[in-house]
Every structure is written in structure tokens, then in C-alpha cells.
Amino acid sequence: MTRYQHLACLLSDRIEQGLYRSGERLPSVRTLSIEHGVSISTVQQAYHLLEEKQLIVPQPRSGYFVATRKATPPVPALTRPVQRPVEITQWESVLELLSSRNSGNVLQLGSGMPDLTQPTLKPLWKIQSRMAQKQDLDQLNYDSLLGVAALREQVARLTIDSGCQLTAEDIVITTGCHEALSVSIRAVCEPGNIIAVESPTFHGTMQTLRGLGIRAIEIPTDSVTGISLEALELAFEQWPIKAVVVVPNCNNPLGFIMPEARKRALLALAQRFDAAIIEDDVYGELAWEYPRPITIKSLDMDGRVLLCSSFSKTLAPGLRVGWVAPGRYRDRVLHMKYIGTGSTATQPQHAVAEFIRLGHYGPHLRRMRQVYQRNYETFSCWVRHYFPCGICVSRPQGSFLMWIELPEAFDAVRLNTELRTLNIQVAVGSLFSASGKYRNCLRLNYGLPINEYTEQAIAQLGAAVEQAMHACHIETEPASSLTD
């Protein structure tokens, strides 16, 4: 962190703690320069950064003042889905979201795409170029159904950070995390079975269940602590649940990290009812805390946890390189992979393995965590500034996704249709529910570039939300009662 960034963080903390109050004049550039022993230009850069985040505003000939801001929105409350197995819907809406990915003129505010513009990805391009120049025919051929041995060794080494003790033989390489989840579900379930899922949860998991003829039971989920263990226990007692699918670290879409004690309790519950746990850890390495949070798999002593992940969110989704540590279900997972895609593309596996072996992966992860955390702070300011009052916003602890809950009468599906005229698209909340709940919610991606174009899009989205709320006769509290 540079000197000006360090100073900006210090001032930001003082503002958040109320040491500098709303509308209060900040110390002059010269005063801060003397107080912190830095140059005037360093202070000016720090103030400019805070101005970009809309924490302060300049006034000609008067200096800088703390911006008058709306109060921080509360986090969403514990969700309350219908707790019975349901047939999964929403495929048409998911297909519409996927089909618009390649619409170059549409800004995907709700996509699950990571930032691919960072310089720490340059070594990956060079590695792929060198591999192409060598013209190694082995990289155009099939490899083991398990995956390239060099990559499996690197993945096993990486999982040590999450508390696991795995070997290369414990890992199966897949075509992205989506296939890892798919083969895991097929390995433990049959058509007609029931699986418990967080609510809301990743729409890809929902559609996999739909395609396999498996019913889902949505379990209430807290935006801070994760899936309700009490509700899950009740569901286990009422229904023959085969498995639980969870995203406990940097959850998609709520962003929470499940406390370790609750991870242990979830595992104990699965052991008690002899159910499998399918753990999606695709965002776990993007947690802002250090060391990164442990996985449930690291606590697993009897092989009932199938740990799924990929390099789609940490490196690039186009690589299509994922993996699963299937535990006791290894043979079944290998069979499901064989009848699905067979072996995974060879060359991308070698490229990722080399990227990690040469020491590029760690620095890239550290940079992306910093970028996403900084982006989150800016996006939060934008949402607070441009959105109307009466909303709830999740507090992600990593990754690049945030969840916004609007008043219950709000229809985000209709809003998304109206946003097309602005060339903007969000991910509507109903995609993340088996039964189409959460039509009043949005998922936003704050991994997008922080620039005027993105800020303008957030401003347009906020204005559209406010207009739609007025059209629905949804009342909001007066702005004056919501200032800090």
C-alpha cells in the first residue's frame, strides 16, 4: 500500500468512526502534511482518492469537507423460503442472462465475471504463448481422466491454506466448477431425490438439479452467518435429504463467510443424518481476511464432503479448469465425469499448473483481493449515494458480488426489462431461488472497472430503482432522517 493510500485509509476510518462528522471541515493539506510527515502531493492524492469514493467533497477556497451521506443500509434479514421440496423453475431467465454475456454494448452489472484486466495475468499469456511455440503434441492429446498430474499436485498444495491435507490422487480435474458440482450431485443423488440448498443460492446449482430431476428444499439463510442449522435440522427430520449444497466461504450471492463453529456444526448434522455435503469453494481464495477461512472439507474425517472449486473466479473463466476432491465418492465421480465430458482439455491444465509452479498465483491472488476490497468500498458509496432509502445491502467478506434487497413489493424482473433501453443488465434475485422468490432483490458485481462509465451506470440504476418504487407507491423515509 502506498503512502497516499495508507493516509486515505486512515482518514476513511476516522470518518467511519465519527471522528470527522458529516459536513465537518477536514484538516488542511499543509496540516496533514506536517502531522503525518508526508509531502503535500501525498496528502492531495489521498484527498483525491477519498473524493472519488464520495467520502469527502471539496469547496473552493475553503478546503475539504466530510460528505453528507445517507446512513449505511442494514443487511438483509434471515430469508424465509417455503420449506418443502419443489420443482425448480427459472431456466428461461437464466438462459436470457447467459445469452446477453456477449452483447458488447450491454454493461453486465450483475455478472459473475472476475476482473481480467490486471497485469498479474500477463505471465499466464506468456506461458500459453511459449506452450504454443513448443508444439508439444501431448498437449493436444487426451490426458488422464483424473486430470494432468502436475496440476493435481499444485491444487493439492494450494488446499493446505484452507486446512486440508490432500494428495494429487484425491483431486479430479473438471471442466470448471460447474462440472465439479454436476458430477458431485450425480455421484450422491438419483432422479427424484431431495437436496437441501441455501436460499438464495447459485443459479447454476439450481439448474443442474432441474436437469437431473432432483428436487430442492430451500433452507433459510442469514446474510452474515449462513445457512440456518436449526431449519436444516428440521428439514432433515421431515424429508429424506440426500445432500446439502453450500457456499460457506464468500458466498454467492450474499458474500458471507460462515463462522468456523457453524461449519463444524453443519458437518456434525450431516454425519448425524448420513448426508453428503457438496461444498462450493470457488470464491474462497478471494476472502479478504488472512489466513483465508477453512473449508468444511478440512474438518471431514469420513469422506462425506465433496469439495468443489476452480480457477474461473481467481484467474479466468475461459480456461474452464476446475476440480473436485470427492472423498468417499471418488469412483462414482470419475464414472460421472467419464459419461459426461471425459477428460478435461489438456493445454489449459498445463498452463495453470505452470503459472502456479513459477510463483505467479500467490501475487495475483493478493492483488485481486486488494482490488476487490477497494472496489467494494467505492461501490458501497455509490449504492448508498444513488439508491433510494429503504434498501438492505449485504456486507461481503471477499470476492466481488453483493446482494441488494429492495422493498417486498418491488419487481426487479420488470426493472431489468426497462434497463435494456439503458444497455444495462442486473442479475435479478429470482434466479437464485428454486421457486422464483426474491423478485425484489438484485446481485451486483463490484469487480467491474471503477470509472465514470461504471459510476454513471450505477447512478442510472439507482434512478430507475427509485422511479420504480414511486410507481409501485413504495414509501421511503425522508432523506433528512437517514443522514449520519
Side-chain angles (χ1 to χ4, degrees):
M1 186 179 292
T2 63
R3 287 186 176 183
Y4 82 86
Q5 289 173 327
H6 179 77
L7 179 58
C9 285
L10 179 64
L11 295 171
S12 176
D13 288 343
R14 290 179 178 178
I15 292 171
E16 293 296 332
Q17 293 165 9
L19 298 179
Y20 295 133
R21 297 185 178 278
S22 179
E24 182 180 343
R25 187 174 184 272
L26 291 163
S28 69
V29 171
R30 185 173 299 277
T31 300
L32 281 181
S33 173
I34 296 172
E35 179 184 342
H36 295 278
V38 296
S39 67
I40 286 177
S41 64
T42 296
V43 179
Q44 289 173 331
Q45 284 180 293
Y47 272 162
H48 181 67
L49 185 58
L50 293 175
E51 188 181 349
E52 284 184 341
K53 294 181 179 181
Q54 298 182 347
L55 290 175
I56 66 174
V57 291
Q59 292 187 12
R61 300 178 182 177
S62 299
Y64 289 89
F65 292 78
V66 178
T68 301
R69 301 180 299 153
K70 295 176 184 175
T72 301
V75 297
L78 178 73
T79 60
R80 300 193 178 280
V82 177
Q83 283 189 257
R84 57 179 173 76
V86 297
E87 303 292 337
I88 294 157
T89 58
Q90 307 304 308
W91 166 238
E92 289 75 16
S93 298
V94 172
L95 184 60
E96 180 182 350
L97 178 67
L98 299 177
S99 300
S100 62
R101 277 179 179 171
N102 298 323
S103 301
N105 62 332
V106 177
L107 181 59
Q108 304 289 335
L109 286 177
S111 74
M113 281 284 293
D115 183 353
L116 303 178
T117 66
Q118 297 301 318
T120 44
L121 282 176
K122 287 182 180 179
L124 182 61
W125 288 106
K126 293 179 180 178
I127 290 169
Q128 291 178 307
S129 177
R130 286 199 301 269
M131 287 181 170
Q133 291 173 359
K134 286 176 65 176
Q135 297 185 4
D136 185 350
L137 294 182
D138 285 343
Q139 294 186 20
L140 296 181
N141 209 337
Y142 293 116
D143 204 284
S144 164
L145 185 61
L146 285 167
V148 170
L151 178 59
R152 289 187 285 116
E153 290 170 2
Q154 294 296 338
V155 168
R157 184 176 65 81
L158 290 175
T159 62
I160 294 174
D161 288 343
S162 69
C164 292
Q165 294 181 342
L166 302 174
T167 69
E169 291 303 307
D170 297 320
I171 306 296
V172 178
I173 302 300
T174 59
T175 305
C177 189
H178 206 129
E179 188 192 22
L181 292 168
S182 176
V183 295
S184 296
I185 291 169
R186 285 185 287 161
V188 302
C189 291
E190 297 176 352
N193 285 166
I194 301 170
I195 278 186
V197 298
E198 298 161 322
S199 183
T201 195
F202 171 49
H203 53 73
T205 300
M206 294 292 195
Q207 295 308 315
T208 298
L209 298 180
R210 172 189 168 104
L212 297 175
I214 297 170
R215 290 182 295 167
I217 181 168
E218 296 182 73
I219 306 298
T221 301
D222 186 83
S223 62
V224 177
T225 60
I227 192 168
S228 168
L229 300 179
E230 298 76 16
L232 179 60
E233 182 178 16
L234 183 62
F236 269 126
E237 291 172 347
Q238 293 181 324
W239 306 98
I241 295 170
K242 288 287 186 178
V244 184
V245 182
V246 289
V247 190
N249 294 323
C250 306
N251 175 270
N252 174 18
L254 292 174
F256 62 80
I257 293 176
M258 193 177 193
E260 184 175 332
R262 296 185 68 82
K263 291 175 181 175
R264 293 182 183 276
L266 173 58
L267 179 58
L269 199 58
Q271 290 170 334
R272 176 181 156 196
F273 289 95
D274 194 24
I277 295 178
I278 300 173
E279 181 178 14
D280 180 352
D281 191 56
V282 71
Y283 297 98
E285 289 187 311
L286 294 174
W288 297 330
E289 66 179 45
Y290 185 84
R292 62 145 291 170
I294 65 167
T295 56
I296 300 173
K297 180 69 175 178
S298 69
L299 307 171
D300 180 27
M301 295 293 107
D302 59 358
R304 71 176 61 250
V305 179
L306 300 94
L307 178 63
C308 304
S309 189
S310 81
F311 297 94
S312 295
K313 308 304 180 182
T314 55
L315 288 178
L319 294 169
R320 307 311 302 134
V321 177
W323 56 270
V324 54
R328 65 167 75 165
Y329 304 99
R330 182 176 184 272
D331 291 344
R332 180 74 174 157
V333 161
L334 280 174
H335 189 205
M336 293 301 102
K337 179 168 172 53
Y338 174 71
I339 65 175
T341 61
S343 58
T344 299
T346 306
Q347 191 178 60
Q349 294 185 63
H350 281 287
V352 173
E354 188 71 354
F355 185 82
I356 300 170
R357 187 186 72 82
L358 292 176
H360 299 302
Y361 190 60
H364 174 70
L365 278 181
R366 287 193 292 273
R367 182 181 183 89
M368 298 318 300
R369 292 178 192 129
Q370 292 170 358
V371 167
Y372 293 143
Q373 186 170 16
R374 188 167 62 246
N375 282 14
Y376 167 68
E377 293 171 358
T378 302
F379 256 71
S380 295
C381 290
W382 287 348
V383 168
R384 183 164 52 194
H385 181 72
Y386 292 116
F387 274 61
C389 304
I391 66 173
C392 296
V393 182
S394 65
R395 305 281 193 277
Q397 295 176 273
S399 187
F400 46 83
L401 301 171
M402 69 192 315
W403 182 258
I404 298 178
E405 181 184 293
L406 300 156
E408 193 170 345
F410 192 89
D411 189 346
V413 177
R414 179 180 296 177
L415 172 71
N416 219 15
T417 302
E418 296 170 353
L419 289 174
R420 290 175 184 168
T421 60
L422 300 174
N423 289 328
I424 295 173
Q425 185 176 46
V426 296
V428 298
S430 55
L431 297 176
F432 303 88
S433 167
S435 56
K437 286 179 62 66
Y438 313 119
R439 285 178 71 99
N440 61 317
C441 298
L442 312 171
R443 187 188 74 175
L444 294 185
N445 180 343
Y446 53 85
L448 295 169
I450 299 298
N451 53 36
E452 291 183 6
Y453 178 55
T454 306
E455 181 178 6
Q456 181 184 17
I458 295 295
Q460 291 175 314
L461 174 59
V465 167
E466 185 164 20
Q467 184 177 0
M469 287 174 66
H470 285 312
C472 295
H473 304 292
I474 299 172
E475 294 185 3
T476 60
E477 297 181 49
S480 59
S481 68
L482 292 167
T483 54
D484 291 332

